Amino acid sequence: MDKIVSRRKFVSTGIVTVSGLTLGLPAFGRSFFKDDIIRVGMIGTGSRGTGLATLIKEIPGIELVACCDVIPEHLKNGMDVAAPGAKAYTDYRKLLDDKKIDAVIIATPLYLHYPMAVDALDAGKHIYLEKSMTYDIPQAIDLVKKVQHSNLVFQLGYQYRYFRLYHRVKEVITQNWLGKITHFECQYNRNSNWRFPVNDPKLENAINWRMHRKYCGGPLSELCAHQIDQVNYLLDNHPIKVTGIAGINYWKDGRDTYDNIRTIYEYPGGVKSSVTSVLSNAYNGYCIRILGDRATVEILREQAFIYAESLDNVKGIVDGVTGATKKAITQGKAVELVFEKPDQKQTEPTTDALLDFVDCIRNKRKPISNVETGRDASISVHLGNKAADTQTFQVWKPEYSI
């Protein structure tokens, strides 16, 4: 962003500065005024849904007025942070029937995303849907059509598209600091069996749905989807083919989702992006490295570092934040990439994403993370899993982009 904007000013004035984009959307729904409250229902109040509900409490102009979950403990957790007088549901369709609810946030297991999103569109609700967008490719293509034929805001929970750190990285790429980019190296590793405790055996699948392919796509859809989406964002494109290898080599506990996967995506121009997730070692957990012939950028959770390349013993130059130069003699030493942090503290990208959701509803705008970008990320995930399943190359088909 070119300047720091307070969250309250962002909501009340509708300032749009994310990546310099100003997006329009046809008029829809009721007219919102400056002091109107957007009333939201949360469908799915597990750890992610409750986390979102907690953030909503601090955002002006939006109020959590209903929660829905089939697991009693989860529902209670959501209701504990909802607005006074909020309603509790165990059937999301009854929540959708409430005409006073303007929008819904869907934070449920992946296999429920598509049917719940379709029902919410039919009910005339604006939607913030957690990633990944859909369980399979046909659902992704169909959901794009349904959203495009509605006059509703549809935003995907790829919050890093709103993180100023990545906006700064994109500026660096645009300004050619890195030179010709040839490779991305992405990883999202954990040392965990990824299971949650279950008090009632009947709720095993509802709580530990990440263990089963009939409910999700494993580490690629639940972890690496963020990095796949970010590479798409930084390149302004989607992959054209992918290959991969995966297995269940460590956590042999009855799961059928992979506990390790390594994929290589190819983008137009021959750019390769390796995407890896290992659930038995957390070294360097989350990381994206962008390799250019002039410099490398390493993106961690909340920081990024740039490393200059040495070119034929000639001191290359990377234009620094203050106008000073960093010579290639510093190769191998990390130079932090500076980006603006609102309120003089580390920004919370999920809060920024929710702020944009509010602003899109108020100002009839299309979100930065929208149904088309969500489709591209979702299809990329599915192709990666299929490549690993079949040990073949999977190719992006023209009809995926229509």
Side-chain angles (χ1 to χ4, degrees):
M1 287 192 173
D2 294 329
K3 59 183 178 179
I4 298 174
V5 181
S6 73
R7 289 191 173 103
R8 184 172 296 276
K9 185 176 180 183
F10 182 100
V11 173
S12 64
T13 64
I15 292 174
V16 184
T17 55
V18 178
S19 297
L21 296 178
T22 302
L23 300 172
L25 193 69
F28 50 75
R30 68 182 178 91
S31 297
F32 287 93
F33 298 95
K34 182 177 179 180
D35 297 324
D36 278 355
I37 299 296
I38 296 171
R39 296 178 290 271
V40 174
M42 181 76 66
I43 303 175
T45 53
S47 58
R48 181 59 179 171
T50 301
L52 291 166
T54 301
L55 294 176
I56 287 173
K57 290 181 66 175
E58 304 301 321
I59 297 175
I62 184 172
E63 189 173 71
L64 183 61
V65 299
C67 293
C68 178
D69 205 293
V70 297
I71 299 173
E73 182 180 356
H74 289 180
L75 183 56
K76 180 182 182 302
N77 291 340
M79 291 298 293
D80 284 346
V81 292
K87 296 180 180 179
Y89 297 90
T90 56
D91 185 339
Y92 78 93
R93 289 163 295 193
K94 292 183 179 179
L95 182 152
L96 294 177
D97 286 340
D98 187 341
K99 303 299 183 184
K100 295 181 180 180
I101 293 176
D102 304 304
V104 294
I105 296 175
I106 301 173
T108 56
L110 178 57
Y111 78 105
L112 294 172
H113 285 189
Y114 173 79
M116 288 181 169
V118 170
D119 288 344
L121 289 171
D122 289 343
K125 311 299 185 187
H126 304 294
I127 299 169
Y128 183 107
L129 176 64
E130 270 300 335
K131 60 83 190 165
S132 296
M133 191 170 84
T134 60
Y135 179 78
D136 59 31
I137 292 175
Q139 288 179 355
I141 295 171
D142 186 62
L143 194 52
V144 169
K145 296 176 183 177
K146 284 180 165 54
V147 172
Q148 289 177 345
H149 283 88
S150 76
N151 287 321
L152 297 165
V153 169
F154 185 95
Q155 183 169 328
L156 263 295
Y158 285 108
Q159 67 267 22
Y160 293 119
R161 282 185 177 254
Y162 298 89
F163 195 3
R164 290 165 177 80
L165 172 61
Y166 287 92
H167 302 166
R168 186 65 179 131
V169 170
K170 192 161 187 173
E171 287 178 352
V172 165
I173 292 172
T174 302
Q175 295 168 5
N176 202 35
W177 286 23
L178 308 187
K180 181 177 176 60
I181 294 172
T182 55
H183 293 84
F184 289 73
E185 296 175 349
C186 308
Q187 71 175 55
Y188 202 149
N189 294 344
R190 291 183 174 183
N191 193 340
S192 167
N193 64 3
W194 214 5
R195 286 188 180 275
F196 292 92
V198 179
N199 296 324
D200 183 350
K202 295 179 182 178
L203 298 176
E204 170 63 32
N205 289 339
I207 294 175
N208 287 312
W209 50 274
R210 294 176 182 85
M211 306 294 106
H212 305 290
R213 287 292 287 270
K214 63 182 179 180
Y215 301 131
C216 78
L220 212 59
S221 73
E222 303 309 312
L223 297 175
C224 298
H226 281 298
Q227 293 164 313
I228 291 170
D229 181 67
Q230 273 309 301
V231 176
N232 289 355
Y233 164 72
L234 293 171
L235 292 177
D236 287 317
N237 221 319
H238 60 72
I240 56 177
K241 63 181 178 180
V242 58
T243 190
I245 188 169
I248 306 171
N249 305 119
Y250 189 86
W251 298 109
K252 299 183 179 182
D253 54 3
R255 73 183 65 202
D256 59 8
T257 52
Y258 296 131
D259 66 12
N260 68 94
I261 185 166
R262 295 179 182 272
T263 56
I264 300 176
Y265 290 86
E266 181 174 331
Y267 286 78
V271 177
K272 308 296 191 303
S273 176
S274 63
V275 180
T276 297
S277 184
V278 172
L279 298 185
S280 56
N281 183 290
Y283 176 75
N284 237 8
Y286 178 97
C287 181
I288 300 176
R289 287 176 290 274
I290 309 172
L291 282 57
D293 61 5
R294 294 184 63 198
T296 297
V297 165
E298 181 181 41
I299 308 170
L300 306 179
R301 281 286 191 182
E302 298 177 346
Q303 294 174 288
F305 299 91
I306 190 164
Y307 303 80
E309 281 289 303
S310 175
L311 304 176
D312 298 327
N313 296 319
V314 177
K315 294 180 179 179
I317 296 176
V318 175
D319 197 355
V321 174
T322 64
T325 60
K326 294 293 182 183
K327 298 181 179 180
I329 195 170
T330 63
Q331 184 180 20
K333 294 182 180 179
V335 178
E336 185 170 0
L337 189 64
V338 177
F339 66 102
E340 289 185 285
K341 303 172 184 179
D343 303 326
Q344 306 302 313
K345 62 182 179 180
Q346 180 65 48
T347 187
E348 165 52 60
T350 302
T351 297
D352 287 342
L354 291 169
L355 281 165
D356 192 54
F357 184 54
V358 173
D359 188 68
C360 286
I361 295 173
R362 286 184 176 277
N363 294 298
K364 306 173 178 63
R365 262 200 315 113
K366 187 175 185 178
I368 305 300
S369 179
N370 52 65
V371 72
E372 289 87 7
T373 62
R375 169 202 60 198
D376 289 353
S378 192
I379 291 176
S380 300
V381 167
H382 297 308
L383 292 179
N385 270 329
K386 189 172 182 181
D389 292 342
T390 59
Q391 296 189 19
T392 62
F393 275 96
Q394 293 296 309
V395 178
W396 191 282
K397 297 179 181 179
E399 57 264 33
Y400 295 163
S401 301
I402 296 175

